[in-house]
């Protein structure tokens, strides 16, 4: 099988790593990719938002499967262009990707499907914003209706900050605050059959103890020793399957990866948000534990044959990933700094720990690897339990040097101590 992955972040590196280990994959390509992905896949320049360009590349490579990683190309309809050319593609249509592209659309689908979620108001004027903030009270939850790379949500007790964020957006969803721990649960679907993956928890705040601004995610772990063993089945029955069924009923079949961000509240499971693609950094830990070869699962989703698949196989090991971010992330991150120590991790920590690249590029054909984004690397490790996986991830992280970089020191610490 020849596979083309679209994207260039740590999520795509995690996907490419898993696909490169799949004996069914004879050729692996990624566009545009990054310095780390180049070690496992052949890179190609492409505008990931240009459906015609992606389709032309897939045709040129004679790809048997195209995997669209990020949300922006999905919302832009890149999967539609590839699908129209008769090439199997893993990823929803542009219309179906509105589950992530519009918070208001997602709320409407959840209402139709009877999916439990936070009460909310959609606001387009300052007056509506003030009414909604007053109705719910603090803490205020304000979400940009559109795509915002994981940074469009403000949760604050400061009404002025909440109002400022709301009024800076064309359309916002203001909703009640959901207490309780958060869980990310991915599901692969062909539009009818839904196959849930293993749950993970990510860490959105920039600083230890969940302080600082919201980011795209600073680390993650899986499994969740504190979660109810029935959680995955409950979410499948009450959230994932009803949502996929509702989308099909509306004539907007959703196939690809449905990501449910959940809050485990005192009143039960509630959906915080949906995403239409693998989440970053949760993908890094979920795929680290998946034992079933990945390519066949993604192809079955693209071809509508998920029901024929055997149950997924999982490792009993735990996985932890810690994100190394550049100086001043998530504000205006500094880029262009050299990264050293990657070879040392490969030599001393593999296979139990490895580095997945997010924002990196190589300076020339054989030059040094440089930072090229806000989140630069995901240091990922596995172990017999969370404590060992965590220890291995942080040990590998100490070998890496990136001037001015930052990372959280408490990823999975609480769960590891309690398990």
């Amino acid at each position: 099988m020849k596979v083309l992955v679209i994207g260039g972040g740590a999520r795509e590196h995690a996907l490419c790593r898993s696909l490169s280990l799949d004996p069914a994959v004879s050729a692996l390509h990624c566009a545009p990719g990054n310095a780390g992905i180049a070690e496992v896949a052949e890179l190609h320049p492409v505008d990931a938002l240009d459906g015609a360009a992606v389709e032309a590349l897939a045709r040129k490579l004679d790809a048997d499967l195209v995997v669209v990683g990020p949300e922006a190309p999905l919302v832009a309809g890149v999967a539609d262009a590839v699908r129209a050319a008769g090439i199997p593609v893993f990823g929803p249509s542009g219309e179906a990707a509105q589950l992530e592209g519009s918070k208001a659309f997602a709320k409407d689908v959840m209402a139709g499907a009877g999916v439990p979620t936070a009460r909310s108001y959609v606001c387009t004027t300052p007056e509506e914003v003030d009414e909604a903030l007053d109705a719910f009270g603090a803490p205020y939850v304000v979400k940009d209706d559109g795509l915002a790379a994981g940074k469009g949500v403000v949760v604050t007790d400061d009404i002025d900050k909440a109002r400022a964020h709301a009024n800076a957006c064309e359309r916002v969803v203001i909703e009640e605050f959901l207490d309780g721990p958060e869980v990310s649960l991915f599901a692969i679907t062909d539009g009818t059959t839904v196959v849930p993956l293993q749950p993970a928890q990510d860490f959105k705040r920039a600083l230890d103890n969940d302080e600082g601004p919201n980011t795209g995610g600073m680390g993650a772990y899986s499994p969740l020793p504190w979660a109810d063993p029935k959680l995955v089945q409950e979410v499948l029955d009450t959230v994932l399957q009803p949502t996929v069924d509702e989308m099909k009923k509306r004539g907007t079949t959703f196939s690809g990866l449905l990501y449910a961000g959940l809050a485990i509240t005192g009143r039960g499971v509630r959906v915080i948000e949906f995403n239409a693609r693998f989440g970053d950094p949760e993908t890094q830990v979920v795929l680290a534990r998946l034992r079933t070869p990945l390519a066949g699962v993604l192809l079955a989703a693209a071809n509508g044959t998920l029901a024929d698949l055997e149950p997924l196989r999982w490792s009993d090991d735990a996985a932890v990933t810690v994100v190394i971010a550049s100086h001043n992330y998530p504000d205006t991150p500094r880029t262009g700094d050299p990264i050293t120590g990657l070879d040392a991790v490969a030599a001393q920590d593999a296979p139990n720990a490895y580095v997945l690249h997010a924002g990196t590029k190589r300076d020339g054909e054989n030059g040094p690897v440089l930072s090229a984004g806000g989140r630069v690397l995901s240091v990922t490790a596995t172990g017999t339990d969370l404590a060992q996986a965590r220890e291995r991830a942080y040990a590998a992280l100490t070998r890496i040097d990136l001037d001015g970089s930052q990372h959280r020191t408490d990823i999975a610490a609480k769960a590891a101590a309690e398990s």
Side-chain angles (χ1 to χ4, degrees), residues 32 34 75 82 103 120 138 181 194 232 281 287 318 323 333 368 378 386:
N34 62 38
V75 171
V82 177
K103 305 287 190 298
S120 63
V194 181
V232 172
L287 291 187
V323 170
S378 288
L386 284 175

Side-chain angles (χ1 to χ4, degrees), residues 104-143:
F105 176 81
K107 287 288 188 183
D108 188 60
V109 170
M110 283 187 260
V115 167
T117 186
R119 292 179 299 122
S120 63
Y121 294 102
V122 179
C123 306
T124 55
T125 68
E127 293 75 23
E128 289 174 347
V129 165
D130 285 345
E131 282 179 29
L133 293 174
D134 185 54
F136 288 129
Y140 305 102
V141 181
V142 184
K143 299 181 176 182

Side-chain angles (χ1 to χ4, degrees), residues 13-26 28 40 287-288 290-295 351 354:
H13 193 177
L15 286 163
C16 284
R17 179 182 182 273
S18 290
L19 289 165
S20 73
L21 297 172
D22 186 337
V25 176
S26 55
L28 182 58
V40 295
L287 291 187
L290 180 64
R291 287 291 164 264
T292 301
L294 182 62
Y354 48 89

Side-chain angles (χ1 to χ4, degrees), residues 348-381:
Q348 298 177 55
D349 300 283
N352 297 317
Y354 48 89
V355 181
L356 297 169
H357 291 230
T360 68
K361 66 178 181 182
R362 197 170 282 282
D363 187 11
E365 196 171 326
N366 298 306
V369 175
L370 306 177
S371 62
R375 292 186 295 171
V376 181
L377 304 166
S378 288
V379 183
T380 305

Side-chain angles (χ1 to χ4, degrees), residues 182-186 198-202 220-224 282 285-286:
E182 294 186 12
V183 174
S184 299
L185 185 61
F186 303 159
Q198 289 289 302
Q201 186 173 61
D202 80 332
Y221 69 92
S222 178
L224 311 182
E282 300 97 320
V285 292
V286 172

